[in-house]
Amino acid sequence: MARRVAVVTGANKGIGLSTVKFLCQKFDGDVYLCSRDQTRGEDAVKELEGLGLKPKLFILAIDDEKTIVNLLEMLKKEYGGLDVLVNNAAIAFPFNSTVPFGEQATKTLDINYFAVSNVCDILFPVLKPGARVVNVSSALGLLDRVKCPELKQILSSPQLTRPALDSLAREYVELAQTGAHSEKGWPNSNYSTSKILFSALTWIQHRGFKNDPRPDIVINAVHPGYVDTDMTNHKGHLTPDQGAQSSVMAALVPPNGHPRGAFIWNDCSVVDWKSHEFKF
Ligand code: NAP
């Protein structure tokens, strides 16, 4: 039987690096530390090698389709597919960024929604039976952040389709160019919107896996907590190791086990994405 394999995107630092570290210790197979930059990736691999671990490096920019296809080909050739995918890579503009809001909206949704969706579209066909997918969302990606009841209903509908969600994402970007997004009930945060859409995508993907001929493919969304990383300008109160706990738990859901199609909080409890409220 082919060796098992796990892939973590955006893993050269922060929560992704910690996720690779724990998977190297707990996952029965090879673990790929993906980095879009060769040197940053090599340095991260060296750091984990210093702990006696043996991650493998793959150069993956989630917004560069060529690198996703390279990963796909490697996985097919070396492993006959993919066992664990952790969609961890994301961006967030700093609060004090001077880049215009509309420009930030385009870039943030390009990476955190459209590029991540594309990674899934390309890699899901090679997920093996029993595969686990982890979509790293955020407390800012809870439905509670949306203020318009109609929009909430659309986003949480079990009938929501991928084309409809893509259209909503494009519509948001357009609205954000003129600042009209808030009137339509979207949060006044591109990052938050990107994670709400990514969470909604997770439920669509979950429904797809329930009807997939490959048995027991499990997908969950996770909130890592407020973590001390570059993304938070090191203001988070959790360490990256603590922030990785929900991703690791979701990556290692046992055969036919739970949770599945759930929103997993940083303490590894399951919360209801549709109704959970979180005060920042
Ligand atoms: P981070 O330290 O900024 O790390 C982000 C990682 O994503 C880096 O490895 C970065 O690579 C990579 N990345 C960014 N754009 C990419 C692209 N186009 N292609 C490939 N890789 C790309 O952030 P973090 O705090 O660890 O965040 C990890 C995940 O947790 C993200 O999904 C984030 O939204 C989520 N999250 C974080 C917090 C928190 O408090 N930190 C809270 C909730 C959710 P480079 O080093 O090359 O830039």
Side-chain angles (χ1 to χ4, degrees):
M1 220 165 68
R3 196 163 160 71
R4 277 160 53 80
V5 60
V7 163
V8 183
T9 69
N12 53 286
K13 65 181 182 182
I15 297 163
L17 178 59
S18 287
T19 304
V20 168
K21 178 171 79 177
F22 291 122
L23 288 181
C24 284
Q25 293 164 347
K26 296 179 179 191
F27 174 74
D28 168 27
D30 290 340
V31 183
Y32 278 84
L33 181 159
C34 294
S35 170
R36 59 178 162 176
D37 178 85
Q38 181 84 33
T39 308
R40 288 199 287 277
E42 284 170 1
D43 289 348
V45 165
K46 272 192 209 120
E47 189 183 324
L48 295 187
E49 282 173 347
L51 301 174
L53 304 171
K54 292 192 169 73
K56 290 172 176 283
L57 176 62
F58 202 92
I59 300 306
L60 173 78
I62 63 168
D63 53 341
D64 177 354
E65 189 162 306
K66 206 167 64 261
T67 67
I68 312 172
V69 173
N70 289 345
L71 176 61
L72 172 77
E73 294 306 329
M74 184 281 289
L75 291 169
K76 285 202 293 200
K77 182 161 169 274
E78 303 293 330
Y79 300 93
L82 176 58
D83 296 281
V84 171
L85 172 63
V86 183
N87 285 310
N88 172 80
I91 59 159
F93 282 85
F95 287 120
N96 57 0
S97 169
T98 54
V99 176
F101 189 86
E103 216 175 295
Q104 291 188 32
T106 306
K107 183 75 186 160
T108 306
L109 269 77
D110 269 355
I111 302 297
N112 295 4
Y113 178 73
F114 290 110
V116 183
S117 306
N118 199 34
V119 169
C120 295
D121 292 345
I122 292 173
L123 298 184
F124 279 11
V126 300
L127 288 176
K128 295 185 203 169
R132 302 294 180 247
V133 180
V134 184
N135 285 348
V136 183
S137 183
S138 166
L140 289 163
L142 290 167
L143 191 62
D144 178 53
R145 313 300 299 174
V146 175
K147 294 304 163 208
C148 162
E150 290 79 25
L151 184 54
K152 270 185 154 166
Q153 203 184 357
I154 293 170
L155 286 164
S156 59
S157 164
Q159 271 80 47
L160 181 65
T161 63
R162 174 67 186 283
L165 188 61
D166 287 356
S167 295
L168 279 175
R170 282 192 294 269
E171 198 180 294
Y172 171 84
V173 172
E174 220 174 283
L175 290 166
Q177 305 307 312
T178 58
H181 53 285
S182 298
E183 286 159 36
K184 299 279 180 188
W186 290 104
N188 194 26
S189 155
N190 296 309
Y191 177 81
S192 181
T193 298
S194 73
K195 293 295 187 179
I196 291 164
L197 292 164
F198 188 32
S199 307
L201 176 70
T202 309
W203 321 136
I204 294 173
Q205 293 171 328
H206 172 61
R207 290 195 286 278
F209 288 138
K210 281 205 282 192
N211 298 318
D212 197 291
R214 295 164 295 181
D216 194 30
I217 296 183
V218 174
I219 186 163
N220 287 293
V222 305
H223 164 55
Y226 190 37
V227 184
D228 174 355
T229 65
D230 287 351
M231 185 176 276
T232 59
N233 207 11
H234 299 278
K235 297 220 162 60
H237 58 272
L238 299 177
T239 64
D241 281 2
Q242 290 171 320
Q245 294 310 312
S246 49
S247 290
V248 173
M249 181 228 188
L252 299 177
V253 170
N256 299 308
H258 284 85
R260 44 181 68 215
F263 196 97
I264 304 174
W265 207 247
N266 64 278
D267 61 0
C268 292
S269 66
V270 168
V271 304
D272 186 343
W273 175 73
K274 293 206 258 327
S275 59
H276 192 70
E277 293 176 19
F278 182 70
K279 298 282 165 266
F280 288 85

